[in-house]
Amino acid sequence: MDPNVDTQQTAESTITPSRWTRQEILTLISMASVNFSSMICYSILGPFFPNEAVKKGASQTVIGLIFGSYAICNLIGSLVLGKYIVHIGAKFMLITGLFVSSICTILFGLLDRLPEGAPFITMCFVVRSIDAVGFAGAMTSSFALTAKIFPNNVATVLGSLEIFTGLGLILGPPVGGWFYQSFGYEVPFILLGCFVLIMVPFNIYILPNIVADPSKDSFFRLLTQVKIVLICYVIFTLSAGLGFLDATLSLFAIETFGLSSGYVGLIMLGLSLPYCLASPLMGYFTDKYPATRKWFLIAGGIGTAISFCLLGPAPFLQIKSQLWLLILMLGVIGFSLGMTAIPTFPEIITHAYEQGYEEGLSTLGMVSGLFGAVWSLGMFYGPVVGGLLTQHLSFEWAAAVQGALAFFGALFLAVYYYFQGRHSVREDSRQTDESSPLLKE
């Protein structure tokens, strides 16, 4: 394969299968491998790491900070790498990110050999922080390349690729929980780290090189747009909810229902499987009918809010905690996340182009970096604040707070779209009046 294939031809391609080129198919395979390998390594910690960290002397708050440190370093990495993706090179950034992530995953599996207390906790922070920067590079370049190569079907392609994100989320918890129960702490991390390492030469071979010119636009101008700020808040609420569940759900399930780490991994299927199934459908539908994106954003936020309130359930509902209700609400959360998350990326890109941003890899890199940074901010808030609320109040109250965040996101967007619609009607009416022959006379 010639890596220096004409990128202009690629940029004009669509998702129609009969028009797929060899490069497009290989790019999809590459992006799918990145999504899958990255997410399976991320999600493996959920079922057993919090319990293992407690044995090593970490409190619930410290566990939340360990998860949160990953997110804050991912935030910084996404902003910086998204800005300089053209200078670094999208392919080089992706390959390097995968390599760093694989090595850090293996190293994280060796941390149980450290003494409990400060040595263990410190190295958890160090390794996870470096891993986060690698993950930021891989995912930022992945989003940007996907949007560059399939500009007319961004939501469809991203939604289809989320199948592999979902598979990583699905397989990570049960595989990690089972290997942990069968072979101990080290084996899950070493095996998955080696798997990601294999992805490096694979992507070196099949991923195309894309050359682009730097742009003079900035993140800051993006954040002056009310619509983009509101969508970023929605992204924040989504990732905050996921981060909260990563850090607290396993301990809640173990303490409340007496489940093992392996069964906790299976429960998490209730979250990731509906997300995996919903994402491609939402992507195809929102690409075919772009006007529906705002309704999916609002409806998904409301669904997420209600589900989090029933997850515990919230104490003010006076409903007893039950395993079947927990699993059902995780499923609704997963479906609602797919409904809300998929339209956000193409909505930001479309609005950026409407505001005069250049159509190219540089803008896509900035949007990808912004998306990754806001997502990471939520992943920091979720486990840290969620861990504090769980420790000082309860899981039930902490889940209700996450539901409130999602509700406000849906409410803010609904108000924005309402006033935007009224403004458009007034503008159309004014233009009609100005063009009226009677008015001209």
Side-chain angles (χ1 to χ4, degrees):
M1 181 183 68
D2 182 10
N4 297 312
V5 67
D6 183 15
T7 57
Q8 183 64 32
Q9 178 182 353
T10 302
E12 297 173 358
S13 63
T14 68
I15 194 66
T16 307
S18 60
R19 298 180 60 186
W20 278 354
T21 65
R22 181 170 180 265
Q23 175 190 322
E24 291 166 348
I25 294 173
L26 290 176
T27 301
L28 284 175
I29 295 173
S30 174
M31 297 301 102
S33 71
V34 172
N35 284 23
F36 176 76
S37 58
S38 297
M39 294 314 298
I40 195 172
C41 285
Y42 173 80
S43 63
I44 189 179
L45 273 70
F48 63 88
F49 175 75
N51 196 44
E52 189 72 22
V54 168
K55 296 178 183 177
K56 287 287 190 177
S59 66
Q60 179 70 67
T61 302
V62 171
I63 293 171
L65 287 171
I66 291 173
F67 280 94
S69 66
Y70 182 95
I72 203 69
C73 292
N74 195 294
L75 184 156
I76 297 171
S78 295
L79 288 174
V80 175
L81 296 175
K83 174 65 177 177
Y84 295 103
I85 187 172
V86 173
H87 303 81
I88 299 172
K91 179 176 180 177
F92 179 78
M93 183 185 295
L94 189 146
I95 298 301
T96 305
L98 281 180
F99 179 77
V100 170
S101 185
S102 65
I103 298 302
C104 288
T105 301
I106 294 172
L107 290 176
F108 204 82
L110 303 176
L111 295 184
D112 68 322
R113 302 186 180 187
L114 295 174
E116 66 178 42
F120 173 82
I121 293 172
T122 301
M123 289 308 299
C124 281
F125 278 110
V126 172
V127 175
R128 286 288 284 175
S129 298
I130 298 174
D131 189 13
V133 177
F135 181 84
M139 295 308 296
T140 298
S141 54
S142 174
F143 275 123
L145 285 171
T146 301
K148 172 68 176 177
I149 295 174
F150 300 98
N152 301 319
N153 304 91
V154 176
T156 301
V157 176
L158 289 179
S160 300
L161 290 175
E162 287 303 295
I163 294 176
F164 298 92
T165 300
L167 285 174
L169 291 171
I170 287 170
L171 294 177
V175 168
W178 184 80
F179 275 116
Y180 171 75
Q181 280 191 316
S182 303
F183 304 104
Y185 178 83
E186 297 179 3
V187 173
F189 293 102
I190 294 175
L191 286 178
L192 290 181
C194 291
F195 173 75
V196 178
L197 195 59
I198 294 173
M199 293 295 102
V200 172
F202 173 74
N203 282 282
I204 289 175
Y205 173 71
I206 69 173
L207 194 65
N209 286 321
I210 294 181
V211 179
D213 296 325
S215 171
K216 296 180 180 180
D217 294 312
S218 67
F219 284 109
F220 300 104
R221 193 159 75 88
L222 276 177
L223 293 175
T224 61
Q225 306 298 317
V226 175
K227 182 177 181 179
I228 291 180
V229 171
L230 291 178
I231 293 176
C232 285
Y233 176 77
V234 170
I235 296 170
F236 166 80
T237 64
L238 297 177
S239 58
L242 287 176
F244 164 75
L245 293 175
D246 282 338
T248 60
L249 180 63
S250 61
L251 290 176
F252 173 74
I254 291 171
E255 294 173 359
T256 306
F257 305 110
L259 302 178
S260 65
S261 297
Y263 280 109
V264 172
L266 291 176
I267 286 177
M268 288 184 173
L269 289 176
L271 174 69
S272 50
L273 187 58
Y275 176 78
C276 179
L277 297 176
S279 294
L281 296 176
M282 299 302 169
Y284 174 79
F285 198 85
T286 55
D287 265 340
K288 193 176 179 77
Y289 307 102
T292 62
R293 290 173 185 165
K294 60 183 178 182
W295 301 114
F296 281 122
L297 288 169
I298 295 169
I302 294 173
T304 302
I306 295 173
S307 303
F308 266 107
C309 287
L310 290 171
L311 191 65
F316 59 81
L317 296 175
Q318 297 183 350
I319 301 175
K320 184 180 179 182
S321 296
Q322 299 182 66
L323 183 58
W324 69 266
L325 182 61
L326 176 72
I327 297 173
L328 177 61
M329 289 303 102
L330 284 174
V332 178
I333 290 172
F335 186 85
S336 299
L337 287 177
M339 184 184 296
T340 310
I342 297 303
T344 56
F345 192 75
E347 275 286 276
I348 295 177
I349 291 175
T350 301
H351 192 72
Y353 289 158
E354 290 173 352
Q355 299 305 310
Y357 277 73
E358 299 176 6
E359 297 190 18
L361 184 62
S362 183
T363 297
L364 294 173
M366 281 191 289
V367 173
S368 300
L370 178 63
F371 183 95
V374 176
W375 186 273
S376 299
L377 184 62
M379 293 301 288
F380 175 79
Y381 171 92
V384 173
V385 177
L388 285 169
L389 291 175
T390 301
Q391 183 172 336
H392 295 288
L393 295 176
S394 65
F395 175 86
E396 292 86 349
W397 276 114
V401 171
Q402 295 299 325
L405 289 177
F407 173 77
F408 283 120
L411 178 63
F412 294 154
L413 273 179
V415 172
Y416 171 80
Y417 283 122
Y418 172 75
F419 283 105
Q420 183 189 49
R422 293 192 62 180
H423 177 72
S424 298
V425 170
R426 286 197 299 267
E427 285 293 312
D428 292 341
S429 177
R430 184 180 63 82
Q431 292 176 6
T432 301
D433 292 341
E434 290 177 352
S435 62
S436 173
L438 293 176
L439 186 62
K440 290 180 180 179
E441 293 177 2

